[in-house]
Each structure stands twice: as structure tokens, then as C-alpha cells.
């Protein structure tokens, strides 16, 4: 049964508060035990201390941004990117023949990939609005500068975002915390009766094929955009498209943007067995979290919590944070 709007906003407030509390506690943590506790990790037994053999985080050489691939494929009429001043020229080179509108701003990004709304705080950046029709580039820049929330539907249409995804995003009480955005997209996603994984082109936890947050990780309209981007990449870089499929087909224990543990050789649905881990992020607690997960061989999902076990022996429990995302 779908949540009533008030219930959805209550869940959003609870998750947002949990993420903010974790970030505050992590900033104060002086050892691994305190850092794990900040994330809500409850250990069942002695914390593992061995170093975890790591595979590198998945990377795919695309030679241009996802926005540029989508623009070239005709998915969007306007491309919108925010870059440092020294990256402007090489970014523009990815959009040959496009008209560009530029807007200077400042950007402050905090822990968990949380963007602050105050455009006068943080590091200097340049917003680029690119279109083959100059009037569309100017229109998008004007809408963004005026009130991107009020103009969300029109702005989303210019940028090629599906209306259902725009509506779901605008319905959120908070939109600047990208870790929270992923939790909310997952909460809106219905699992199929057969327990099938979510489609891999919508895996936006580390690499992204879409420049918006989907209304759900099964959204057909969002998936069509992602697949069109993959097709554009495949036409020019077949090996890169294959690498994307390999990298994004993954089961991920996601705590926040800075704390992700990707499970290797993962199988199963409710109980997920795995044979190794890859830690992704730069969070204070990530090395300790990776050791905890590597000490187990299965993840057991339950409402409001995630358990780590090795065989019949409990290792740890996470909650209220901890999302198990299965992309296949």
C-alpha cells in the first residue's frame, strides 16, 4: 500500500535527521568504535581488525560527461553542468556547435554529498547551460536563477527529465542532500514479486547514467533515458558500454554517499550471500565498516534494519541507516 503524503514526509524527516545526526557524530568520533556507532552499526562480538583486501572502485573511461553523451543523443534540448573555472574550456569542447550561457556561483558540498542552497557560500563555480537553440539555453538559465522549484516542470522538460521523476523530486521536502535523495528513490521503488534486481542502468550510487533522481529505480521513463545514453556510448565506445554494464551490475550496502560497501559475487534477494567487498567513498568510518562487512558472508534484510552474518553467527546490525540496493 502506498504511503499517504504525510507518512512519506514523516519518513523523509526521519531519514534526513538520521543522516544529519550521523554526520555530526562522525565529525566528533575519535576512534573506529565511535565512528561505527555514529553510523548506527551495532556489533555482535569483537570488532574485526584485519585489513580488507580491496579492489579498486569501478571506473569507466568515457572521455566526456554523461550530460554530453545525452545531449549528443538528442535526449535533452538543454544540457546543464556546473564546473570549476579551469574546466570550462574542456567542458565546452564536449558540446561542439552548442550555444552556451554562463552563470557564476559558489558551491558548498558537505558530508554525504549534501549541497547547500546558499549560492554565495563555498568554492567558485561556473554554471553552463548549453543548447543548439540559444533561446532555450537562455530560458533554462533564467528559470534556474529565478526559482528552480517553482519552474521545476518546465526546467525538467528542457533538460530531458521525465515528468514523473520531476514531480517526485519536487514533492520532497528536502532536495539538496544527495544521500537522502537516493534513500527516497529506493523507498518509492516497489520490489517485483519474483525479487528481480533493479535495472543496472539506473544504478546512480557511484557512477551515473542519468542527471536526475528517478521517481523509482524501476521507472520506465528514467530507464529509457539511461538506456538511450548507453546506446549513444556504445555506438562510439563499445568497450566502455560493456564496462558500464559490468560496473553497475552490483549489490551495494549503502549507508551514505561517503560510506558504500559493494558486495562481490552477490547472490540472493532477502538473504544475500557474497564473497568479498569493495569500499567506495571517503567517509571516516568506511575502513571500519568494510572490515565489518568483510567479516560476514551474508546480508539479511529486514524492515528498518540490515544484519550482517557469517553462516549462523551474527556479526553486526545496521539501522536506521543502511540500504541494500540490488542492481542487475
Amino acid at each position: 500500500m502506498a504511503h499517504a503524503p504525510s507518512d512519506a514526509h514523516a519518513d523523509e524527516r526521519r531519514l534526513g535527521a538520521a543522516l544529519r545526526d550521523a554526520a555530526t557524530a562522525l565529525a566528533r568520533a575519535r576512534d573506529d568504535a565511535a565512528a561505527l556507532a555514529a553510523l548506527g552499526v551495532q556489533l555482535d562480538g569483537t570488532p574485526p581488525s584485519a585489513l580488507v583486501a580491496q579492489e579498486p572502485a569501478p571506473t569507466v573511461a568515457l572521455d566526456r560527461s554523461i550530460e554530453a553523451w545525452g545531449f549528443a543523443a538528442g535526449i535533452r534540448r538543454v544540457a546543464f553542468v556546473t564546473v570549476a573555472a579551469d574546466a570550462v574550456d574542456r567542458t565546452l569542447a564536449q558540446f561542439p556547435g552548442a550555444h552556451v550561457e554562463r552563470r557564476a556561483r559558489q558551491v558548498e558540498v558537505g558530508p554525504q554529498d549534501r549541497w547547500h542552497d546558499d549560492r554565495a557560500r563555498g568554492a567558485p563555480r561556473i554554471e553552463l547551460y548549453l543548447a543548439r537553440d540559444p533561446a532555450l539555453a537562455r530560458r533554462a538559465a533564467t528559470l534556474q536563477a529565478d526559482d528552480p522549484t517553482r519552474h521545476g516542470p518546465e526546467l525538467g522538460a528542457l533538460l530531458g527529465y521525465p515528468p514523473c521523476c520531476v514531480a517526485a523530486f519536487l514533492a520532497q521536502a528536502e532536495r539538496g542532500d544527495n544521500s537522502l535523495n537516493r534513500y527516497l528513490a529506493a523507498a518509492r521503488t516497489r520490489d517485483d514479486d519474483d525479487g528481480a534486481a533493479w535495472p543496472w542502468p539506473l544504478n546512480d550510487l557511484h557512477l551515473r547514467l542519468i542527471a536526475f533522481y528517478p521517481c523509482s529505480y524501476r521507472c520506465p521513463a528514467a530507464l529509457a533515458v539511461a538506456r538511450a545514453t548507453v546506446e549513444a556510448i556504445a555506438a562510439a565506445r563499445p568497450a566502455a558500454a560493456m564496462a558500464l554494464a559490468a560496473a553497475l551490475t552490483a549489490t551495494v550496502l549503502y549507508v551514505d554517499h561517503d560510506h558504500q560497501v559493494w558486495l562481490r559475487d552477490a547472490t540472493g534477494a532477502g538473504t544475500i550471500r557474497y564473497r568479498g567487498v569493495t569500499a567506495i567513498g571517503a567517509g571516516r568510518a568506511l575502513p571500519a565498516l568494510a572490515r565489518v562487512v568483510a567479516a560476514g558472508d551474508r546480508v539479511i534484510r529486514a524492515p528498518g534494519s540490515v544484519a550482517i552474518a557469517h553462516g549462523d553467527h551474527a556479526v553486526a546490525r545496521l539501522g536506521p541507516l543502511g540500504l541494500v540496493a540490488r542492481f542487475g
Side-chain angles (χ1 to χ4, degrees), residues 81-175:
V81 293
T82 302
V83 299
D86 61 1
V88 168
D89 288 343
R90 64 176 177 269
T91 300
L92 294 180
Q94 300 175 15
F95 299 86
H99 174 83
V100 60
E101 293 289 320
R102 310 175 190 220
R103 298 289 188 274
R105 65 166 297 180
Q106 289 174 266
V107 171
E108 183 175 359
V109 183
Q112 303 167 339
D113 198 20
R114 184 182 299 119
W115 288 54
H116 296 281
D117 290 336
D118 188 345
R119 297 165 65 90
R121 286 172 53 185
R125 292 291 185 267
I126 306 296
E127 292 180 342
L128 303 175
Y129 302 83
L130 302 114
R132 294 180 178 88
D133 182 343
L136 294 181
R138 288 192 289 269
R139 180 62 177 167
T142 299
L143 295 176
Q144 180 74 16
D146 179 40
D147 187 340
T149 297
R150 182 162 63 90
H151 299 299
E154 183 182 354
L155 191 57
L158 289 171
L159 298 174
Y161 302 167
C164 53
C165 300
V166 173
F169 189 67
L170 292 176
Q172 295 176 198
E174 183 178 346
R175 294 181 287 276

Side-chain angles (χ1 to χ4, degrees), residues 69-327:
W69 283 110
F71 186 77
I75 297 169
R76 63 192 66 191
R77 293 180 290 167
V78 179
F80 169 46
V81 293
T82 302
V83 299
D86 61 1
V88 168
D89 288 343
R90 64 176 177 269
T91 300
L92 294 180
Q94 300 175 15
F95 299 86
H99 174 83
V100 60
E101 293 289 320
R102 310 175 190 220
R103 298 289 188 274
R105 65 166 297 180
Q106 289 174 266
V107 171
E108 183 175 359
V109 183
Q112 303 167 339
D113 198 20
R114 184 182 299 119
W115 288 54
H116 296 281
D117 290 336
D118 188 345
R119 297 165 65 90
R121 286 172 53 185
R125 292 291 185 267
I126 306 296
E127 292 180 342
L128 303 175
Y129 302 83
L130 302 114
R132 294 180 178 88
D133 182 343
L136 294 181
R138 288 192 289 269
R139 180 62 177 167
T142 299
L143 295 176
Q144 180 74 16
D146 179 40
D147 187 340
T149 297
R150 182 162 63 90
H151 299 299
E154 183 182 354
L155 191 57
L158 289 171
L159 298 174
Y161 302 167
C164 53
C165 300
V166 173
F169 189 67
L170 292 176
Q172 295 176 198
E174 183 178 346
R175 294 181 287 276
D177 185 334
N178 289 327
S179 294
L180 179 59
N181 290 336
R182 295 182 177 103
Y183 271 98
L184 296 178
R188 295 189 294 258
T189 305
R190 287 184 177 274
D191 280 331
D192 286 349
D193 292 338
D194 61 0
W198 301 341
W200 68 262
L202 292 182
N203 181 349
D204 63 355
L205 304 184
H206 176 58
L207 305 172
R208 304 192 69 181
L209 290 170
I210 56 176
F212 56 90
Y213 287 99
C215 58
S216 92
Y217 284 116
R218 294 193 188 279
C219 171
L223 183 57
V225 172
R227 283 178 171 162
T229 303
V230 174
E231 289 170 2
I233 294 169
R237 305 280 188 276
M242 294 177 63
L244 280 169
L248 297 179
T249 298
T251 297
V252 183
L253 175 56
Y254 183 91
V255 178
D256 61 35
H257 179 75
D258 303 324
H259 298 88
Q260 304 185 40
V261 181
W262 290 42
L263 308 178
R264 298 203 298 271
D265 300 322
T267 58
T271 296
I272 298 168
R273 292 172 172 79
Y274 57 94
R275 293 191 290 183
V277 303
T278 297
I280 295 179
R284 163 71 179 81
L286 183 61
L289 178 65
R291 290 197 298 271
V292 169
V293 181
D297 65 1
R298 66 199 62 196
V299 168
I300 302 132
R301 296 191 289 178
S305 70
V306 176
I308 308 296
H310 190 283
D312 295 330
H313 302 285
V315 174
R317 185 175 299 274
L318 288 77
L321 298 179
L323 162 67
V324 179
R326 295 175 56 242
F327 291 96

